[in-house]
Amino acid sequence: MPHDAATAAAADEALLAQLGYKQEFKRAFTPLQVFGIAFSIIGLLPSIASVLFYAIPNGGPAAMVWGWAVASVFILCVGISMAELASAAPTSGGLYFWTHSLSSPRCRNLLAWIVGYANTIGSIASVASIDWGCAVQVAAAASIGTGEAWVATDAETFAIYAAIVLSHAVICCLATAVLAKLQTVYVILNVLLCLAVIIALPAVTPAEYKNTASFALGNFTNMNGWPDGYAFILSFLAPLWTICSFDSSVHISEEASNAATAVPWAIVNAIGIAGVLGWAINMSLAFCMGTDLDSLIDSPIGQPMAQIFFNSFGQKGTLAIWAFVVIIQYMMGSSMLLAASRQSFAFARDGALPFSSWLYRMNAFTETPVNTVWFVAICSLALGLLAFAGEQAIDAVFAISITALYIAYAIPIVARFAFKNNFKPGPFDCGVFSLPIAIISVSFMTFMNLVFFFPTTPQTDVNDMNYTIVVLGGVLILSLMWYYCPVYGGVHWFTGPVANIEDAPADGTGSSSSVHDSIAEAKKGRAEVTTEKAES
């Protein structure tokens, strides 16, 4: 190992030791590859394809273009707030670790528990929604290839989905060095596909499907019945789902070199580049989608973007481009499962998940947490079964991947400013602008979470209701029941992050000292609880 690399690795390991953890992963992710995992999970073009169902009925082309622009600015604020925390304490536990270290001693255990479970649920829902979107895209490709003669049933789509999830689990069991190298490939393919569509789609679209600027930028088509303003806000689900799960970079902090700098910049750069490229893609689609929006929503292909491509490129051209869309969506799911498994590993390391002793294990051969990979895959398969409960039920998985993560994102940001703590910024810091940005971030996330609990249309029945609150609320309630369970509940033994290294560097300075102090307090508290039990 070169001297500079060895020095950086030693510094990363020392910082992690100050946070209370020993180095268990290989630090094989370069700054570009850390950025790659966040950017590949965003997966622009296939992600936009997966959620055009939400943008077109809630405003049409105007919502696609301007809704994306407005939402991207708010999402960047969220990313900046999170990047500051990630720079101060780069650890796989991330969100719940920050929550515990920055909150009041009276409530930090409970808040860390809630954030940990919201993050776990949101990450698993992200895996499920990405892979379900991939399954729908595979089915759309088969429909295009058969001249729309074949349309997948729910059972057939689920079978494709299950195959995708299981294959991702196999990939994510590979060694860290292999997984890191894959991220570079993912970034290159993502950018090339975006540029190809931005340039090629307007060039080949027949005149009958080309729209005027007034239609592409000013037409507002509201199909679902909500007031126009509220419908416009509902269209935010498309950019919010696309530019989400950027906490993935945080969860590989312990596998990244120069993590305190690489992780925050990966978050900010991924959001910024995705915002610009995604807006350009939506502009291209808005000018080339035609004026018959109903035919896109009700397309026999089952995918609005696939229908737009079919109208412009024809059958063979669409299949060629769609193959790359499916491949990149597949890569997204692989990266998301990787990040989710690391988050679950960190939460199990602190004993908070059921079967933590089994989940907190490193495979001796690959030196990766294989057990948590399969744990996330199995939970994702279970979420996919919601497809058999109807379209609205599987749509809830997409919404949960935002709402659950926004709960997990907001609490540590609030804790930083609401509680008395000794937070010391890392290399990435916004100074006096940190608080205003945090206020904007938390306000936006709170408002959007409330929005996504409402049904798609104001006139609804059992089949068309929004199941997001049911699924998310049910899981969070179960986690709280587990926390307050008599005798065995987390309230009796969970003390937040548990240091697994005996002697953290005594000369630690900078961003991690306050977090290190909180770990020492937690260890002391656990020792006192143990002593009290022994005396009683």
Side-chain angles (χ1 to χ4, degrees):
M1 181 183 292
H3 177 70
D4 290 345
T7 302
D12 283 321
E13 187 170 344
L15 177 55
L16 186 62
Q18 290 174 6
L19 299 179
Y21 296 121
K22 61 185 178 183
Q23 186 69 49
E24 296 180 271
F25 292 93
K26 286 188 176 180
R27 290 190 179 268
F29 280 79
T30 65
L32 174 62
Q33 291 162 345
V34 177
F35 162 78
I37 192 167
F39 191 70
S40 66
I41 288 173
I42 290 172
L44 279 176
L45 191 71
S47 290
I48 294 172
S50 295
V51 289
L52 269 184
F53 289 105
Y54 305 105
I56 293 176
N58 289 299
M64 291 165 57
V65 173
W66 303 118
W68 183 280
V70 172
S72 294
V73 174
F74 287 107
I75 296 168
L76 182 60
C77 291
V78 176
I80 290 172
S81 295
M82 185 178 297
E84 290 189 300
L85 294 171
S87 183
T91 174
S92 296
L95 305 166
Y96 80 88
F97 184 98
W98 307 332
T99 300
H100 190 273
S101 65
L102 298 172
S103 299
S104 165
R106 291 183 298 176
C107 61
R108 64 186 179 191
N109 290 343
L110 175 60
L111 289 178
W113 182 277
I114 293 171
V115 169
Y117 271 95
N119 199 189
T120 302
I121 297 160
S123 297
I124 292 171
S126 293
V127 174
S129 58
I130 290 170
D131 284 358
W132 185 262
C134 187
V136 171
Q137 290 166 5
V138 170
S143 179
I144 295 169
T146 59
E148 304 177 15
W150 180 81
V151 178
T153 64
D154 288 341
E156 289 166 338
T157 305
F158 181 81
I160 299 170
Y161 168 76
I164 292 169
V165 172
L166 294 175
S167 63
H168 282 159
V170 173
I171 291 171
C172 290
C173 289
L174 299 175
T176 299
V178 177
L179 295 169
K181 288 182 174 62
L182 286 174
Q183 304 309 315
T184 304
V185 178
Y186 294 175
V187 170
I188 294 171
L189 287 178
N190 256 299
V191 174
L192 289 178
L193 180 61
C194 291
L195 294 177
V197 170
I198 291 169
I199 297 169
L201 186 61
V204 302
T205 300
E208 62 186 290
Y209 291 110
K210 284 189 176 180
N211 294 326
T212 62
S214 60
F215 183 87
L217 304 179
N219 178 271
F220 193 91
T221 302
N222 183 357
M223 300 180 180
N224 287 335
W226 288 108
D228 286 352
Y230 188 73
F232 180 74
I233 293 171
L234 284 175
S235 74
F236 286 6
L237 179 59
L240 263 63
W241 185 83
T242 301
I243 312 177
C244 194
S245 299
F246 37 80
D247 60 310
S248 55
S249 295
V250 174
H251 300 313
I252 61 162
S253 294
E254 295 175 30
E255 298 166 79
S257 58
N258 195 18
T261 300
V263 172
W265 279 110
I267 294 171
V268 173
N269 287 335
I271 295 172
I273 294 172
V276 173
L277 282 178
W279 186 77
I281 290 170
N282 276 289
M283 284 280 285
S284 182
L285 292 171
F287 275 93
C288 302
M289 66 195 299
T291 57
D292 188 359
L293 304 186
D294 287 316
S295 67
L296 299 178
I297 295 295
D298 300 327
S299 165
I301 294 174
Q303 237 291 345
M305 185 180 284
Q307 186 64 53
I308 294 171
F309 287 173
F310 187 80
N311 294 341
S312 299
F313 294 105
Q315 184 184 43
K316 291 182 179 179
T318 300
L319 283 174
I321 292 180
W322 203 250
F324 285 99
V325 172
V326 172
I327 289 169
I328 292 176
Q329 179 94 0
Y330 183 86
M331 293 174 174
M332 287 170 57
S334 170
S335 295
M336 189 64 238
L337 180 56
L338 170 65
S341 68
R342 294 334 190 230
Q343 191 278 331
S344 295
F345 175 83
F347 207 31
R349 177 170 60 188
D350 295 320
L353 288 175
F355 314 110
S356 285
S357 60
W358 180 78
L359 292 172
Y360 176 45
R361 291 183 187 177
M362 279 286 193
N363 184 275
F365 180 70
T366 64
E367 296 182 311
T368 55
V370 170
N371 290 359
T372 52
V373 168
W374 286 101
F375 166 76
V376 172
I378 291 169
C379 291
S380 300
L381 285 175
L383 268 183
L385 292 171
L386 285 172
F388 295 104
E391 183 180 342
Q392 293 299 322
I394 195 64
D395 285 350
V397 177
F398 284 79
I400 290 169
S401 65
I402 299 172
T403 53
L405 287 180
Y406 275 10
I407 290 171
Y409 292 176
I411 292 176
I413 296 173
V414 170
R416 174 185 170 184
F417 296 101
F419 295 110
K420 183 179 180 180
N421 55 60
N422 189 30
F423 178 81
K424 291 185 174 63
F428 184 95
D429 177 39
C430 293
V432 295
F433 296 104
S434 296
L435 179 58
I437 292 172
I439 292 172
I440 293 170
S441 302
V442 173
S443 301
F444 176 71
M445 288 188 287
T446 302
F447 176 69
M448 292 312 302
N449 266 11
L450 294 175
V451 168
F452 290 139
F453 291 146
F454 281 81
T456 305
T457 60
Q459 294 80 32
T460 189
D461 54 27
V462 174
N463 294 326
D464 295 328
M465 70 172 285
N466 188 337
Y467 287 88
T468 304
I469 187 66
V470 177
V471 180
L472 175 61
V475 177
L476 287 178
I477 289 171
L478 286 174
S479 70
L480 287 174
M481 290 173 63
W482 166 227
Y483 184 78
Y484 285 111
C485 178
V487 183
Y488 301 105
V491 68
H492 301 291
W493 49 264
F494 180 71
T495 57
V498 180
N500 65 1
I501 187 169
E502 290 300 322
D503 297 310
D507 59 345
T509 57
S511 64
S512 62
S513 60
S514 63
V515 182
H516 178 58
D517 291 344
S518 74
I519 292 173
E521 292 175 17
K523 291 175 69 178
K524 180 181 177 182
R526 176 171 290 227
E528 291 172 352
V529 170
T530 304
T531 302
E532 289 174 3
K533 286 185 177 180
E535 290 175 351
S536 61

